[in-house]
Amino acid sequence: MIALLIVIYIVFVALGLPDSVFGAAWPVMHLDFGINESFASVYSVIIGLSTSGAGFFAGKLLRRFGTSRVTFVSVLLTAAALAGVSISPNMAVAIIFAVILGYGAGAIDTGLNNYVSLHYKARHMSWLHCFWGIGVMSSPMILSAFLDADKPDSWRTGYRIVALLLLAIGILVGVFLKKWRKIEKGFSDEAEEAAVQKCSFKDIIKIKGVLPSMASLGVYCGMEFTFSTWGASFFVNSFGTSPSRASAFVSLYFGGIMLGRLISGFIAEKLSDSKLIVLGLCVAGAGLCTFAVPNEIAAAVGIFLVGLGFGPVFPSVLHSIPDRFGKTFSADIIGYHMTGAYAGGFAFQMLIGYSSSNITFRILPFAALGLCVCDILLSRCADKMSSKN
């Protein structure tokens, strides 16, 4: 069991690696493909739609094939997709691989988050997502070592290295696949119960609190994805920061998320999931105010604080689902949450990113601050409604 937990921790690194690689590479990548910088939103939405599609059907896939096999195949899919993007001759081919990337990421997200929320304590959910932070922080650092504004194709090497890391993690999962399958069989009762009961999207969203909970995660991901995709571009366009330095600043953001999840893991047993969510969003709000200051250093401090506040939000929302809405259909509810998260998240980042790149990037922190206030209200609404179940 301990060996499996270690493997799951490492797989969470794999979850994070693809999430930040595109945003870090884009200031140079769009020059290589010869397209407008604002096209990043379209590309991100395509990934988001694919990821949402995987999350929507993940419950059925997990019950049929098990978390272990879905995770194994999905990690290999994401590795293959990143390698494919790195050799794409144009944006059209890159989009094909983006669809594969989205489906792979969505299946891993739903499967592992449901597995951990059912079988491990809240601190492990926070610490596992902290390891996601290691992955998501590592990609910009890897990219920053290769990015060169005078060499538009310099991003490709970074992409290939990230793909190789994912391949290595996929092989590790394959080694432990048989043992993981044996452990899963001991937790099959609730999955079997869900399999014989009626389970539809319409029925599940009628459960009190599910819709505002889904909406809150979508709004949160709108903020998180905005900084992941447009953080580097914000520094480049607002302060004339070099692409490699801007990528390093984005690593501060993901480092803040990682630290926030590390800290929240220690206090998760003392504070409820709901309190951790609101506390994190308040810290993020303070960071957004600092990020809005028209100074590169202040913005760097601000983006770190934003990440620090974001840290406990995502894992706390997902960990609360079995307790709020029951364990029988937790995989489906988490899958629908992931669908809402990615659909809403990419929609908000597309709107903010497109507006910023066509008007001014100075509006980005103020738009994100508005979403932060909205997210606090939705989280409180979800908490009050679900307490009546």
Side-chain angles (χ1 to χ4, degrees):
M1 194 72 172
I2 294 176
L4 175 59
L5 184 59
I6 293 172
V7 171
I8 293 175
Y9 268 90
I10 295 173
V11 174
F12 264 81
V13 175
L15 273 173
L17 284 169
D19 286 354
S20 59
V21 67
F22 172 72
W26 187 244
V28 173
M29 188 178 180
H30 82 93
L31 298 174
D32 188 22
F33 286 140
I35 57 177
N36 192 279
E37 190 173 20
S38 64
F39 191 81
S41 291
V42 178
Y43 183 84
S44 297
V45 166
I46 292 170
I47 296 178
L49 289 173
S50 303
T51 306
S52 298
F56 196 84
F57 297 105
K60 296 178 178 64
L61 287 174
L62 291 167
R63 282 192 291 274
R64 181 175 177 82
F65 300 107
T67 304
S68 55
R69 285 187 287 190
V70 170
T71 300
F72 175 61
V73 173
S74 297
V75 172
L76 295 182
L77 275 179
T78 56
L82 287 176
V85 172
S86 75
I87 61 173
S88 297
N90 52 55
M91 199 66 204
V93 177
I95 286 173
I96 295 173
F97 287 110
V99 173
I100 299 173
L101 177 64
Y103 274 101
I108 304 173
D109 255 351
T110 302
L112 285 182
N113 281 302
N114 179 63
Y115 189 85
V116 174
S117 67
L118 286 174
H119 307 306
Y120 293 98
K121 293 182 178 180
R123 64 173 179 266
H124 285 296
M125 181 67 92
S126 293
W127 288 339
L128 283 162
H129 280 272
C130 177
F131 271 64
W132 172 89
I134 293 175
V136 84
M137 183 177 66
S138 298
S139 288
M141 294 176 67
I142 293 170
L143 265 293
S144 67
F146 298 98
L147 291 181
D148 187 341
D150 295 327
K151 297 179 180 178
D153 64 345
S154 57
W155 63 274
R156 296 178 184 270
T157 302
Y159 253 76
R160 288 164 189 160
I161 290 175
V162 174
L164 287 173
L165 288 173
L166 279 165
L167 177 60
I169 293 172
I171 293 172
L172 178 65
V173 174
V175 171
F176 279 85
L177 192 60
K178 187 176 181 180
K179 183 175 182 179
W180 194 347
R181 285 289 299 156
K182 288 182 179 180
I183 294 173
E184 276 188 293
K185 290 180 180 178
F187 300 127
S188 62
D189 291 346
E190 284 158 358
E192 290 172 0
E193 181 184 350
V196 299
Q197 291 186 34
K198 181 181 179 181
C199 175
S200 69
F201 177 71
K202 184 179 179 180
D203 291 331
I204 286 177
I205 63 172
K206 288 180 180 179
I207 300 173
K208 292 180 180 179
V210 167
L211 278 178
S213 182
M214 288 173 58
S216 72
L217 202 59
V219 171
Y220 164 75
C221 286
M223 294 184 287
E224 183 185 298
F225 294 179
T226 293
F227 280 91
S228 175
T229 302
W230 297 103
S233 296
F234 175 87
F235 281 98
V236 170
N237 286 275
S238 298
F239 307 115
T241 308
S242 68
S244 60
R245 182 177 170 86
S247 183
F249 283 148
V250 175
S251 291
L252 283 177
Y253 164 65
F254 292 116
I257 292 179
M258 183 176 67
L259 180 60
R261 288 173 180 173
L262 178 64
I263 295 171
S264 65
F266 287 106
I267 62 176
E269 304 301 321
K270 298 180 180 180
L271 295 178
S272 67
D273 290 322
S274 299
K275 289 180 179 178
L276 279 173
I277 292 167
V278 173
L279 177 62
L281 289 172
C282 288
V283 173
L288 287 167
C289 293
T290 307
F291 184 73
V293 175
N295 176 274
E296 185 187 65
I297 301 302
V301 173
I303 202 171
F304 171 77
L305 290 175
V306 170
L308 185 69
F310 283 174
V313 179
F314 194 89
S316 295
V317 171
L318 295 181
H319 187 267
S320 69
I321 287 173
D323 289 334
R324 281 179 168 179
F325 310 117
K327 296 180 179 181
T328 302
F329 295 115
S330 63
D332 299 277
I333 296 174
I334 288 178
Y336 297 150
H337 270 70
M338 299 307 297
T339 296
Y342 283 102
F346 281 109
F348 280 121
Q349 75 83 17
M350 179 182 72
L351 179 62
I352 295 174
Y354 183 82
S355 300
S356 298
S357 59
N358 284 278
I359 302 174
T360 171
F361 273 90
R362 297 303 308 168
I363 67 173
L364 189 152
F366 300 102
L369 186 59
L371 291 180
C372 189
V373 173
C374 180
D375 202 20
I376 292 174
L377 296 175
L378 284 169
S379 297
R380 295 301 300 149
C381 178
D383 191 44
K384 289 180 179 180
M385 291 180 67
S386 62
S387 65
K388 299 175 182 179
N389 287 323

